[in-house]
Amino acid sequence: MRKQIAAANWKMNLSLQEGETLLETIIKQDGNLSDNRKVVFAVPAPYLVMAVGKIASEPHIHVAAQNVYSKKSGAYTGETSVAMLASIGVDHAIIGHSERREYFNESNQLLAEKVKICLEENITPIFCCGEALPVREANGQNDFVTRQLEESLFNLPAEQIVKVVIAYEPIWAIGTGKTASSDQAQEMHAHIRSQFAAKYGDEVANSISILYGGSVKASNAKDIFGKPDVDGGLVGGSSLIADEFIAIIKALK
Ligand code: PEP
């Protein structure tokens, strides 16, 4: 079975103490986790060491950076390298969140470099893709997402691409309370999988986890995650509320 993943994206929220309490509350729940059912916490950079410490005895819970820099090391004041992240035990990173694409002008080409450098350090990239509302209204979402995949990922060989996790996040559904219907999510996830199949073959395509992101909450997670090509979610707002995120974890297939 493909890995089912509940990934929390705290974004730039919570104090250290609030973050610690939230993590402790969620970790002590029995989420029925396994090698194929895992949880990832993408916490703000100053809390990564704390989070790695808290999950140290939890084999199915991981910590992610919300971003990485595209260069190995050097005179890049304020940036964080993948080697630094790996050295503290971070093993996942969100790459290409729409907020970074929009506010920090991250291009598909830059994101290709970030994905590549993550893989060099055995950090699993959670690669975000997804269209804005005008693209959806013009029915251009499939071509738009295909281009994001082609320009950022399809230069990777098969043995590397299988290590990438995809998060489909329609921009119009992020933080807006508007969720794509489970059918809309399934349609796009099937499209994304078909693009991987065309490029790398069915076996590779069927092994890649594709998460849905965009106003996932306890009340809609089961419906969305129940779709055959949806392998869990990347969750913003609802990941800040312990009971909500616990219910989302329990909604994984
Ligand atoms: C996100 O930040 O990736 C996200 C999907 O946010 P929200 O769940 O708040 O829409």
Side-chain angles (χ1 to χ4, degrees):
M1 189 174 90
R2 277 191 294 275
K3 282 189 183 13
Q4 306 295 304
I5 304 168
N9 178 14
W10 290 2
K11 311 193 187 190
M12 197 173 74
N13 292 299
L14 305 178
S15 67
L16 175 66
Q17 293 72 22
E18 288 167 339
E20 282 183 305
T21 307
L22 181 58
L23 269 182
E24 283 162 11
T25 312
I26 296 169
I27 289 170
K28 70 174 186 243
Q29 291 293 313
D30 177 14
N32 196 19
L33 301 178
S34 66
D35 280 351
N36 284 329
R37 243 170 143 260
K38 64 181 194 176
V39 173
V40 180
F41 290 98
V43 308
Y47 309 161
L48 287 167
V49 169
M50 174 280 288
V52 168
K54 292 263 178 241
I55 59 123
S57 56
E58 303 288 341
H60 309 303
I61 303 184
H62 302 260
V63 172
Q66 295 177 10
N67 180 34
V68 304
Y69 196 48
S70 55
K71 306 279 188 228
K72 269 194 158 89
S73 66
Y76 301 105
T77 303
E79 293 296 337
T80 305
S81 75
V82 284
M84 291 172 185
L85 295 169
S87 75
I88 61 166
V90 169
D91 57 7
H92 287 65
I94 297 178
I95 300 296
H97 192 281
S98 62
E99 288 151 17
R100 295 214 56 89
R101 291 175 184 266
E102 183 181 350
Y103 306 137
F104 302 95
N105 296 319
E106 296 197 354
S107 64
N108 291 340
Q109 288 69 26
L110 174 71
L111 298 174
E113 290 175 34
K114 291 191 174 193
V115 167
K116 187 163 170 279
I117 208 160
C118 279
L119 293 169
E120 285 170 11
E121 282 292 344
N122 285 323
I123 289 181
T124 301
I126 302 175
F127 178 80
C128 300
C129 55
E131 78 289 352
L133 191 56
V135 175
R136 166 77 50 176
E137 283 171 347
N139 202 27
Q141 66 273 15
N142 286 4
D143 289 347
F144 185 87
V145 169
T146 298
R147 187 155 178 202
Q148 290 179 316
L149 301 175
E150 279 174 353
E151 294 188 354
S152 297
L153 300 181
F154 284 2
N155 59 332
L156 293 169
E159 63 272 17
Q160 300 270 22
I161 202 77
V162 292
K163 299 179 184 161
V164 176
V165 170
I166 305 297
Y168 168 60
E169 300 207 308
I171 297 169
W172 46 273
I174 298 179
T176 57
K178 258 192 219 160
T179 319
S181 69
S182 53
D183 287 339
Q184 281 174 318
Q186 168 56 27
E187 214 171 86
M188 176 56 86
H189 284 223
H191 169 71
I192 291 171
R193 208 175 296 288
S194 76
Q195 298 306 297
F196 280 104
K199 171 80 185 165
Y200 295 100
D202 285 344
E203 198 182 330
V204 167
N206 287 329
S207 73
I208 292 180
S209 299
I210 308 177
L211 317 185
Y212 168 79
S215 300
V216 172
K217 36 191 184 273
S219 59
N220 60 22
K222 196 127 205 140
D223 178 32
I224 298 172
F225 297 173
K227 294 292 177 183
D229 284 297
V230 179
D231 305 309
L234 177 56
V235 185
S238 297
S239 74
L240 301 172
I241 305 163
D243 288 348
E244 280 282 312
F245 195 60
I246 290 164
I248 289 167
I249 295 169
K250 290 183 174 167
L252 288 174
K253 280 202 267 291

